[in-house]
Amino acid sequence: MNVKRRRMTAVAGPARTLGALAAAAALALAVPNSAYAAEGILNINGQDYVNPSGCYGFDWFPASITNNTDAIAEVHSGPDCTGSVEWLVYPGETYRTDTASSVFIL
């Protein structure tokens, strides 16, 4: 009986450890992404977005993106933040485009 108990413990220990590590990793990845938003104002074509997060589309050209947040804004060539990244708008910068269709900011 002691042999079986030792085998079960030897198998259960690593499995339990791996399960705990997987849960911790999932929590570490999920929490910051869901709770974070840029602080400040993202202005797209005169429209202010306070503490923005995610994707913002536009169809008014030429488009003007002013990033007064603490995060980098990615200007995408396609709608819904698809396509290639046309430009990175760093905090404090303004970018004008005739070709992009959306902006992503964390």
Side-chain angles (χ1 to χ4, degrees), residues 46-106:
Q47 174 69 46
D48 286 339
Y49 299 94
V50 178
N51 299 333
S53 177
C55 186
Y56 298 87
F58 53 88
D59 57 4
W60 174 23
F61 300 99
S64 175
I65 299 106
T66 301
N67 184 4
N68 288 317
T69 71
D70 61 352
I72 297 171
E74 297 177 342
V75 180
H76 286 261
S77 62
D80 301 318
C81 296
T82 60
S84 61
V85 174
E86 181 178 297
W87 198 259
L88 297 176
V89 186
Y90 287 86
E93 293 183 345
T94 297
Y95 177 68
R96 288 175 179 76
T97 179
D98 289 320
T99 57
S101 298
S102 55
V103 176
F104 180 81
I105 190 160
L106 250 188

